[in-house]
Amino acid sequence: MSRSLVFALRNTKEIMRDILTLVFGVLFPLVLLILLSAIDRSIPPQAQMTLFEINNLTPGVSVFGLSFISLFTATIVSKDRCTSFILRLFTSPLKPSQYLIGYTLPLIPVSLLQTVICYLAAFALSLKFSLNVLLAVAVNIPVALLFISIGLLCGTVFNDKIVGGVCGALLTNLSAWLSGTWFDLSLVGGTFEKIANLFPFVHAVNAGRFALSGEYLSIVPELLWVAGYALVIGAVAVIIFNIKMKQD
Amino acid sequence: MYAIKTEKLTKKYKDKTVVDNLDLKINCGEVYALLGVNGAGKTTTIKLLSCLVKPTAGKAWLMGKSIADDETEVKQLISISPQETSVAPNLTVRENLEFIAGIFGFSRKEAKKKADKMIKDFNMAEIEKSRAKTLSGGWQRRLSIAMSLISQPKVLFLDEPTLGLDVFARRELWRLIDSLKGSITVILTTHYLEEAEALSDRIGIMSKGVLKAQGSAQELKKKAGTESFEEAFVKLAESEVQL
């Protein structure tokens, strides 16, 4: 087994054995999905409020759930950095690229699993199965990479105490408020909507909604926003990680 | 060939010289203790020798490999047991051991075999399935050292290995370090003078980044002209000249 895979396997175990992963990664988004579906059932059709309909809600909640992936990534990176475990790792023959692969790899299946669980729960709440659901799940892969990149960056820059606040509170709130999941951004409009559109979160949710509704051509421009952010943030994380590794 | 050789190894942070023209020659299989008060430069010396920080000037070789030019080879030869216990908290004892063997390039089968040996040698059979974070400080330290040894290093750096341990756990680790003599070169940093005296073949006394004196405990007492090793340490550490 390659060194990257050995490191990835260790990280997978560290993440999956943390109770926070289960609570925030799976249970919390599920509770939100169920609650908001219940609210949707109470909204009279005359209100013409479609935001919490399961087709609109599921992509939003799945993206919100993925924001916790940043927390998991940042937590493991910063905990390693802030303890003497990093001395053991840095005096081993692992190379910088192997660290980054090792930190990133385990979170891709975790993200996929999280998305799949979210969609399975949505089936129980009236979402109809179609091949578009599979596409919506696949669309979340670049979104997961975006949140992993943010986690790598935060874990590299901040210590394990700050990471909880930045990724656990700030990022999850930011991604929720600016994603158009909980309220229609166009209803707020103005500067808020413009700012929200400059961030990748609303585009990540839109990509999932377009996938689910079969508007395939509309997916690409939305995903370009997500991929662009993921690439830039990922590159910055790699550069800073390399600098920190060589830092005295 | 020396296990460790340094020539005028120097590390400066801005205007502060942390390690100053260090010349060391440490033989293979030797247990060498670095003694000094806080800020003497011991930990920085270990960081320099284990390629964690780059020297400002000077050179160093481990088993003939340069820390500047052969970093990957050096890292394959060394292992470090840091001051704080250094284990993966959510992994079991066995998983921690197999993980380290894996990142040093051993196959899964070899890693398992090596973990078996470490578990046997360190009497950890009872706790092999326990997660590291649930272990007592003494067991965690023991695991930490076992993790440092599983890659079969030629040079082992032990930074304050018995710090915070009770007297029984400390004695147990002493026995362990003693058993390594002759097979692995051990560089030990410690604040406990009796530990250095009991375990080391030679002791280097550092103060303000300078190696003030080195030799066996007996030789150092003789150099300082004192009866006790503690007195010798104080006298030599405070001395203005290198002895």
Side-chain angles (χ1 to χ4, degrees), chain A residues 56-177:
Chain A
N56 282 326
L57 188 61
T58 315
V61 171
S62 72
V63 168
F64 176 69
L66 288 180
S67 67
F68 289 101
I69 291 293
S70 293
L71 176 66
F72 307 151
T73 318
T75 303
I76 192 164
V77 175
S78 64
K79 270 190 180 168
D80 281 352
R81 268 187 49 242
C82 296
T83 63
S84 56
F85 196 69
I86 203 71
L87 292 182
R88 193 183 287 291
L89 294 178
F90 280 2
T91 50
S92 77
L94 276 176
K95 295 189 173 81
S97 60
Q98 292 173 319
Y99 285 105
L100 293 163
I101 293 169
Y103 281 128
T104 307
L105 268 187
L107 288 150
I108 295 171
V110 170
S111 309
L112 259 177
L113 185 70
Q114 201 188 32
T115 302
V116 167
I117 290 172
C118 188
Y119 275 90
L120 285 176
F123 288 139
L125 296 167
S126 78
L127 181 72
K128 300 269 181 299
F129 178 78
S130 70
L131 287 178
N132 287 342
V133 172
L134 297 180
L135 183 62
V137 171
V139 154
N140 266 11
I141 295 173
V143 180
L145 289 172
L146 165 72
F147 282 112
I148 293 170
S149 302
I150 295 172
L152 278 176
L153 182 62
C154 291
T156 307
V157 173
F158 302 118
N159 68 35
D160 53 337
K161 289 183 184 81
I162 298 176
V163 146
V166 171
C167 290
L170 185 67
L171 178 69
T172 49
N173 269 295
L174 200 68
S175 68
W177 284 74

Side-chain angles (χ1 to χ4, degrees), chain B residues 4 80 140 146 198:
Chain B
I4 296 173
I80 186 166
Q140 284 195 4

Side-chain angles (χ1 to χ4, degrees), chain B residues 91-98 112 115-116 118-120 123-132 135 139 143:
Chain B
L91 264 55
T92 66
V93 167
R94 172 174 285 280
E95 286 168 344
N96 264 291
L97 291 165
E98 290 183 358
K112 189 183 174 305
D116 286 341
M118 283 296 148
I119 287 167
K120 187 169 173 265
N123 297 319
M124 295 191 292
E126 275 180 33
I127 52 153
E128 70 166 296
K129 288 178 184 156
S130 304
R131 290 197 193 170
L135 303 175
W139 278 110
L143 170 61

Side-chain angles (χ1 to χ4, degrees), chain A residues 1-3 6-7 9-11 13-15 17-18 82-95 245-248, chain B residues 11 13 50 52-54 75-76 80 82 84-92 95 99-100 102-105 108 131 144 147-148:
Chain A
M1 206 183 334
S2 82
R3 285 172 177 157
V6 172
F7 189 50
L9 187 64
R10 171 260 166 177
N11 295 332
K13 287 176 183 166
E14 286 279 354
I15 293 164
R17 288 174 186 176
D18 193 334
C82 296
T83 63
S84 56
F85 196 69
I86 203 71
L87 292 182
R88 193 183 287 291
L89 294 178
F90 280 2
T91 50
S92 77
L94 276 176
K95 295 189 173 81
M245 209 178 158
K246 288 169 190 157
Q247 214 167 42
D248 291 354
Chain B
K11 180 69 191 172
Y13 290 104
S50 52
L52 282 169
V53 297
K54 304 249 180 268
K75 284 184 172 178
Q76 196 71 46
I80 186 166
E84 296 157 44
T85 302
S86 173
V87 296
N90 281 323
L91 264 55
T92 66
E95 286 168 344
F99 162 61
I100 296 297
I103 60 171
F104 272 86
R108 190 179 277 193
R131 290 197 193 170
S144 189
M147 286 164 74
S148 307

